[in-house]
Amino acid sequence: MEKNIPYKTYLDENEMPKAWYNVRADMKNKPAPLLDPQTHEPMTAEQLSAVFCRELVEQELNDTDPFIPIPQEIIEFYKMYRPSPLVRAYCLEKALDTPAKIYYKFEGNNTSGSHKLNSAIVQAYYAKKQGLNGVTTETGAGQWGTALSMACAYFGLDCKVFMVKVSYEQKPFRREVMRTYGASVTPSPSETTNVGRKILAEHPGTTGSLGCAISEAVEVAVGTEGYRYVLGSVLNQVLLHQSVIGLETKTAFEKIGEKPDIIIGCAGGGSNLGGLISPFMGEKLRGENDYRFIAVEPASCPSLTRGRYAYDFCDTGMVCPLAKMYTLGSGFIPSANHAGGLRYHGMSSTLSQLYDDKLMEAVSVEQTKVFEAAQQFARIEGILPAPESSHAIRVAIDEALKCKETGEEKTILFGLTGTGYFDMVAYQKFNDGEMTDYIPTDEDLAKGFAGLPKM
Amino acid sequence: MEKNIPYKTYLDENEMPKAWYNVRADMKNKPAPLLDPQTHEPMTAEQLSAVFCRELVEQELNDTDPFIPIPQEIIEFYKMYRPSPLVRAYCLEKALDTPAKIYYKFEGNNTSGSHKLNSAIVQAYYAKKQGLNGVTTETGAGQWGTALSMACAYFGLDCKVFMVKVSYEQKPFRREVMRTYGASVTPSPSETTNVGRKILAEHPGTTGSLGCAISEAVEVAVGTEGYRYVLGSVLNQVLLHQSVIGLETKTAFEKIGEKPDIIIGCAGGGSNLGGLISPFMGEKLRGENDYRFIAVEPASCPSLTRGRYAYDFCDTGMVCPLAKMYTLGSGFIPSANHAGGLRYHGMSSTLSQLYDDKLMEAVSVEQTKVFEAAQQFARIEGILPAPESSHAIRVAIDEALKCKETGEEKTILFGLTGTGYFDMVAYQKFNDGEMTDYIPTDEDLAKGFAGLPKM
């Protein structure tokens, strides 16, 4: 008998997660530690506490406790915008005429427009708890900066955002959302920091990069009394906070009596993918269940599929700790025609280790194919997806079409991380037929690899 | 014992409305009929069918049946983006330190960003069912055009949108959303219609108005084989479709064992307010329950609070039927500093009659006060509201503050019709301290009234 599965499954408040799941606890090969960029020794908690909030440092270094309780204040805040729905994409299935069942976990129904709020609110909470005055951060496309602005407004913290200059200019509305939440937004590189002035002197016409904005934000955090730096992806702590996505998803699947075979997510720094897959990955690591995990990245910024697994700088200014990760080199910047996010040169250490251990697959996709999927999805499922999220949509559709060929009734889950309301410049390019693809040559990549630190 | 009311209440699929509620059936004084602009005789179904889809004409004229079954296809589509949540604004209550309980029904969690999709999908459905090729419409701020584009994409209908020129230029991203859904978007007034050419000849520098865009859309619909015109507000049929908002809200309140005392909504053409209040108004009309209803309109476009209750043209080109409504005259255009929507010169005939019968109150608010409420709400409740919706927020906050003074524990419900992601130009003005207010003088209004038709 066919089960009657609703389009959308929401958890009740009492079904919501009470603890985050720390996938590192179940990993046999732990992610490599952060290293001091001078001495190449593992960073101590004390060293990290100059940059990050104390309790976040503990979470960053904790690779043994599988569950970390979620503070009550965060559970309360979650109730304002969570749970996010697990959606059965009936209309997409029908349009594709596939025997596959397609589900997506939709994280876009909050003003930040993405899953980024899940970690922003936690980092702001610990900053407030520590008695800080404010935090600094960088933002590229602007989702993280928006999320952090919202979180800081909620806790009454000051929020200084360094926004990659090209985004600052092309996305004035993102900037205004952050200002509406009380944040100050500075285009990066700027004249307000040493590292910004240095980069501007060396590259006068630069439109900025995430790595450069990170350097500026860290400099201001370390040099200002009562401030710390917060980062929206890549770090272990961020994947921990994002595990709320996967935990909710897992409970929702249990509620409807289903189980995914394939789990797909887009991967920039890895926070959404890491959060979505972590409890499922835990089952795989413990031998309880098997799943296929697929990380999807842009062909123009292919850190997993074409990068090196090596220690690298997290930022352009080389002021941050070194992280072992799949990387294209901290000097790598995607070509100018790259429209969406997912432009970070490296990948979360946790995901890098899982990928290196062959517990997860990765594919890269070209952006015109991504926007084709985005448009198709928008028209069929009614949600205008973020370009980032559309990478996952592309591969979910491809997998569903494979099922159509083979007749397999697989259950496909993907993370729909956010909405594309602030990405209409990219959509306009696509609508006008002016979007192009670019795949870096081996020579392009070699330049990035040449900047890897000598270890 | 304090009840444990969740932040958000969602209905299950089987709790969703199966029929729309037609408040006219319970009204003692029915809304006045549409009149032929030439003969001043009531429009017949046949006459209306030249402009509107057949089944929509039936709904337009039906003031006797209290319930109209929702077609199964619409019930299926609803599942994609409904139910919308009924949210308890715990954080706002706490911030205001009020004994009042504040609830809002949030209609912004779909790509059109507002409640407009509720009627767009129904009108597109009947157009498809009638075998039409496409529909035409106008849009101002762009929410309705976006909603209709989504609906037409779903049913495979062509969609021609006339967008008020000033919005077309100031909101290029709205335009791109519509294009992504396959709609064609023409700035109005345009050279593509007789009425557009006439208006351009008379007012060469005009940036357009809703009334003018309506005239163009109607001309194209009537003159193109297989096309009809659809309208996103004002009409009885639209209020009928929007009753899904109120029906869901009422069921959700019953589910949590609560009942609102005051129900507040912003009012432009009246579709959201009419939809939200209708089942509650039905109880009041039948003497089963009492509620206070408050319509909130901009001080710069005060059709209820300062308009005349009279027959008027619905459009600038005077091609549409005459409607009896509270109106400022079809020539009235809000001053240039008016930032948000709610700029239509008239008000739904149904709401006009209810207001005239003193079954509903109305207040007008100035836009700087509206944006103060919007910013406060955004920071506390985490949702960036549309300027339109923020009119209701303003009055909800004011009512909650009155409760603080009197100590009354009233339950306040307001309609949060949508999100403000495409209204950041207005927010920027507010953030920069450059937003101003304008209240039309009696002389300004007299000019509009002078254009009322002689009956």
Side-chain angles (χ1 to χ4, degrees):
Chain A
M1 198 184 86
E2 179 93 67
K3 278 180 294 188
N4 191 6
I5 292 168
Y7 276 60
K8 292 185 283 185
T9 303
Y10 287 102
L11 305 185
D12 295 333
E13 285 183 3
N14 57 20
E15 296 170 316
M16 298 276 292
K18 309 282 185 299
W20 295 301
Y21 170 64
N22 182 9
V23 71
R24 288 167 291 163
D26 284 314
M27 287 169 70
K28 201 174 145 193
N29 300 322
K30 307 287 184 191
L34 295 169
L35 299 186
D36 182 302
Q38 261 81 48
T39 65
H40 294 187
E41 291 295 313
M43 294 286 287
T44 63
E46 202 189 326
Q47 283 178 306
L48 286 170
S49 296
V51 181
F52 299 114
C53 299
R54 277 191 306 270
E55 295 201 46
L56 292 168
V57 168
E58 282 174 32
Q59 294 177 0
E60 189 63 32
L61 298 176
N62 185 338
D63 60 10
T64 50
D65 295 331
F67 289 100
I68 313 241
I70 303 174
Q72 188 57 36
E73 289 88 339
I74 300 298
I75 287 178
E76 285 302 312
F77 187 86
Y78 277 167
K79 290 178 186 171
M80 263 181 32
Y81 76 103
R82 305 200 68 81
S84 69
L86 176 67
V87 186
R88 174 79 182 267
Y90 280 114
C91 297
L92 183 61
E93 291 172 14
K94 197 174 153 196
L96 297 175
D97 189 24
T98 174
K101 297 179 196 169
I102 308 176
Y103 288 89
Y104 58 91
K105 177 73 167 169
F106 180 42
E107 293 288 318
N109 273 348
N110 70 75
T111 286
S112 80
S114 80
H115 67 293
K116 296 279 185 181
L117 188 55
N118 299 333
S119 185
I121 193 62
V122 181
Q123 298 197 47
Y125 165 74
Y126 286 118
K128 185 71 182 179
K129 198 176 164 203
Q130 193 173 325
L132 298 179
N133 300 323
V135 294
T136 72
T137 198
E138 79 296 329
T139 199
Q143 291 180 333
W144 168 247
T146 309
L148 190 66
S149 303
M150 291 176 65
C152 286
Y154 185 76
F155 284 120
L157 282 168
D158 184 39
C159 180
K160 297 183 194 299
V161 179
F162 287 87
M163 186 170 188
V164 176
K165 192 180 275 175
V166 60
S167 293
Y168 183 90
E169 285 162 2
Q170 287 186 356
K171 299 197 174 187
F173 296 164
R174 271 280 186 210
R175 185 182 75 207
E176 287 308 319
V177 178
M178 291 184 252
R179 288 184 68 209
T180 301
Y181 282 94
S184 73
V185 188
T186 306
S188 166
S190 76
E191 295 284 351
T192 67
T193 64
N194 292 327
V195 66
R197 285 188 290 273
K198 183 159 173 280
I199 290 169
L200 281 172
E202 285 168 13
H203 310 281
T206 181
T207 55
S209 71
L210 265 184
C212 164
I214 294 174
S215 301
E216 291 203 83
V218 170
E219 182 182 319
V220 171
V222 172
T224 312
E225 180 68 28
Y227 280 72
R228 289 294 185 282
Y229 167 70
V230 298
L231 180 64
S233 189
V234 181
L235 296 174
N236 297 323
Q237 57 186 272
V238 179
L239 268 70
L240 177 73
H241 308 150
Q242 295 293 359
S243 70
V244 70
I245 304 174
L247 291 163
E248 277 186 15
T249 305
K250 203 157 165 295
T251 306
F253 268 116
E254 284 159 11
K255 205 168 163 174
I256 57 175
E258 293 276 294
K259 179 185 155 307
D261 299 304
I262 309 175
I263 304 178
I264 300 164
C266 63
S271 74
N272 139 69
L273 179 67
L276 176 66
I277 69 174
S278 65
F280 300 97
M281 181 62 83
E283 290 193 328
K284 182 164 176 160
L285 290 165
R286 296 189 303 270
E288 297 164 7
N289 252 318
D290 197 20
Y291 304 95
R292 262 186 82 197
F293 302 104
I294 308 178
V296 189
E297 57 185 16
S300 56
C301 193
S303 55
L304 283 173
T305 51
R306 296 177 69 197
R308 294 212 183 139
Y309 192 31
Y311 267 104
D312 193 11
F313 302 104
C314 293
D315 62 326
T316 312
M318 305 177 185
V319 300
C320 292
L322 299 175
K324 189 174 178 192
M325 53 187 179
Y326 276 85
T327 179
L328 300 165
S330 63
F332 180 86
I333 295 177
S335 81
N337 77 337
H338 177 98
L342 312 178
R343 49 171 66 238
Y344 189 62
H345 64 274
M347 179 61 61
S348 140
S349 291
T350 302
L351 290 185
S352 291
Q353 186 60 48
L354 291 167
Y355 179 62
D356 202 57
D357 287 339
K358 311 232 177 319
L359 290 157
M360 179 179 88
E361 305 164 36
V363 296
S364 74
V365 288
E366 295 180 37
Q367 67 178 0
T368 51
K369 298 284 177 201
V370 166
F371 275 82
E372 279 169 21
Q375 190 195 60
Q376 186 179 13
F377 184 82
R379 293 185 182 184
I380 295 169
E381 286 283 323
I383 294 171
L384 187 84
E388 295 85 345
S389 326
S390 305
H391 287 72
I393 298 174
R394 172 75 275 159
V395 173
I397 290 176
D398 291 345
E399 289 293 331
L401 291 175
K402 280 184 207 164
C403 289
K404 185 179 176 179
E405 278 182 30
T406 61
E408 288 174 289
E409 293 184 23
K410 288 188 182 161
T411 299
I412 299 169
L413 162 69
F414 69 93
L416 188 66
T417 54
T419 51
Y421 306 136
F422 292 95
D423 301 287
M424 296 317 297
V425 170
Y427 270 98
Q428 180 167 7
K429 242 185 208 166
F430 178 75
N431 291 337
D432 289 338
E434 289 170 5
M435 181 167 279
T436 54
D437 290 314
Y438 177 76
I439 301 179
T441 64
D442 288 343
E443 288 71 38
D444 293 332
L445 296 186
K447 282 181 214 159
F449 296 143
L452 289 172
K454 310 275 171 290
M455 301 298 290
Chain B
M1 198 184 86
E2 179 93 64
K3 278 181 292 189
N4 191 7
I5 292 167
Y7 276 59
K8 291 185 285 185
T9 302
Y10 287 102
L11 305 185
D12 294 333
E13 285 183 2
N14 56 21
E15 297 170 315
M16 299 276 292
K18 308 282 186 298
W20 295 301
Y21 170 64
N22 182 10
V23 71
R24 287 166 291 162
D26 284 314
M27 287 169 70
K28 201 174 146 196
N29 300 321
K30 307 287 182 192
L34 295 169
L35 300 186
D36 183 300
Q38 262 79 49
T39 66
H40 292 189
E41 292 296 312
M43 295 285 286
T44 63
E46 201 190 325
Q47 283 176 308
L48 287 170
S49 297
V51 181
F52 300 114
C53 300
R54 275 191 307 269
E55 296 203 44
L56 292 168
V57 168
E58 283 174 31
Q59 293 178 358
E60 190 63 31
L61 298 176
N62 184 337
D63 59 11
T64 50
D65 294 332
F67 289 99
I68 311 238
I70 304 173
Q72 188 57 37
E73 290 87 340
I74 301 298
I75 287 178
E76 285 303 311
F77 187 86
Y78 278 167
K79 291 178 185 170
M80 265 181 32
Y81 76 104
R82 306 200 67 83
S84 70
L86 176 67
V87 186
R88 173 79 182 265
Y90 280 114
C91 297
L92 183 61
E93 291 171 15
K94 198 174 153 195
L96 298 176
D97 189 23
T98 174
K101 297 179 196 167
I102 307 176
Y103 289 88
Y104 57 91
K105 178 72 168 169
F106 180 42
E107 292 288 318
N109 273 348
N110 70 77
T111 286
S112 80
S114 79
H115 67 294
K116 297 280 185 181
L117 189 54
N118 299 333
S119 184
I121 192 63
V122 181
Q123 298 196 46
Y125 165 75
Y126 286 118
K128 185 71 182 177
K129 197 176 164 204
Q130 192 171 328
L132 298 179
N133 300 323
V135 292
T136 71
T137 199
E138 79 296 329
T139 199
Q143 290 180 333
W144 168 248
T146 309
L148 190 66
S149 304
M150 292 176 64
C152 287
Y154 184 76
F155 284 119
L157 283 169
D158 184 38
C159 181
K160 297 184 195 299
V161 180
F162 287 87
M163 187 170 188
V164 176
K165 192 180 274 174
V166 60
S167 292
Y168 182 90
E169 286 163 2
Q170 285 186 358
K171 300 196 174 186
F173 296 164
R174 270 282 184 208
R175 186 182 74 209
E176 287 310 318
V177 177
M178 291 184 251
R179 288 183 69 209
T180 300
Y181 282 94
S184 73
V185 188
T186 306
S188 168
S190 76
E191 294 283 352
T192 67
T193 65
N194 292 328
V195 65
R197 285 188 291 272
K198 183 159 173 279
I199 291 168
L200 282 172
E202 286 168 12
H203 310 280
T206 181
T207 54
S209 71
L210 265 183
C212 165
I214 293 174
S215 301
E216 292 202 83
V218 170
E219 182 182 321
V220 171
V222 172
T224 313
E225 181 67 29
Y227 280 72
R228 289 295 184 282
Y229 167 71
V230 299
L231 180 64
S233 189
V234 181
L235 296 175
N236 297 323
Q237 57 185 275
V238 180
L239 267 70
L240 177 72
H241 308 151
Q242 295 293 358
S243 70
V244 70
I245 304 174
L247 291 163
E248 277 186 17
T249 305
K250 204 158 163 297
T251 306
F253 269 116
E254 286 158 10
K255 205 168 164 175
I256 58 176
E258 294 274 293
K259 180 185 155 309
D261 299 304
I262 309 175
I263 304 179
I264 300 165
C266 62
S271 74
N272 138 70
L273 179 68
L276 175 67
I277 70 173
S278 65
F280 300 98
M281 182 62 83
E283 290 193 327
K284 182 164 177 162
L285 289 165
R286 298 189 302 271
E288 297 164 6
N289 251 319
D290 196 21
Y291 303 95
R292 261 185 82 196
F293 301 103
I294 308 177
V296 189
E297 57 185 15
S300 56
C301 193
S303 56
L304 283 174
T305 51
R306 296 178 68 198
R308 294 212 183 140
Y309 191 33
Y311 267 103
D312 193 10
F313 302 103
C314 293
D315 62 326
T316 312
M318 306 177 184
V319 300
C320 291
L322 298 176
K324 188 173 178 193
M325 53 187 180
Y326 275 86
T327 180
L328 299 165
S330 64
F332 181 86
I333 294 177
S335 80
N337 78 336
H338 178 97
L342 313 178
R343 49 171 64 237
Y344 188 63
H345 64 274
M347 178 61 62
S348 139
S349 291
T350 301
L351 290 185
S352 292
Q353 187 60 48
L354 291 167
Y355 179 62
D356 202 57
D357 288 339
K358 311 229 176 326
L359 290 157
M360 180 179 87
E361 306 165 36
V363 294
S364 73
V365 288
E366 295 180 37
Q367 67 178 359
T368 52
K369 298 285 177 198
V370 166
F371 275 81
E372 279 170 21
Q375 189 195 59
Q376 185 179 13
F377 184 81
R379 293 185 181 183
I380 294 169
E381 287 284 323
I383 294 172
L384 187 82
E388 294 86 346
S389 326
S390 305
H391 287 71
I393 298 175
R394 172 75 274 158
V395 173
I397 289 176
D398 291 344
E399 290 293 328
L401 291 175
K402 280 183 208 163
C403 289
K404 185 179 175 179
E405 278 183 31
T406 62
E408 287 174 290
E409 293 185 24
K410 288 189 181 159
T411 298
I412 299 168
L413 162 69
F414 69 94
L416 188 66
T417 55
T419 50
Y421 306 137
F422 292 96
D423 300 288
M424 296 317 297
V425 170
Y427 271 98
Q428 181 168 5
K429 242 185 209 168
F430 179 75
N431 292 337
D432 289 339
E434 289 169 3
M435 181 167 280
T436 53
D437 290 315
Y438 177 76
I439 301 179
T441 63
D442 289 342
E443 289 70 38
D444 293 333
L445 296 186
K447 283 180 215 160
F449 296 143
L452 289 172
K454 309 276 172 291
M455 301 299 288

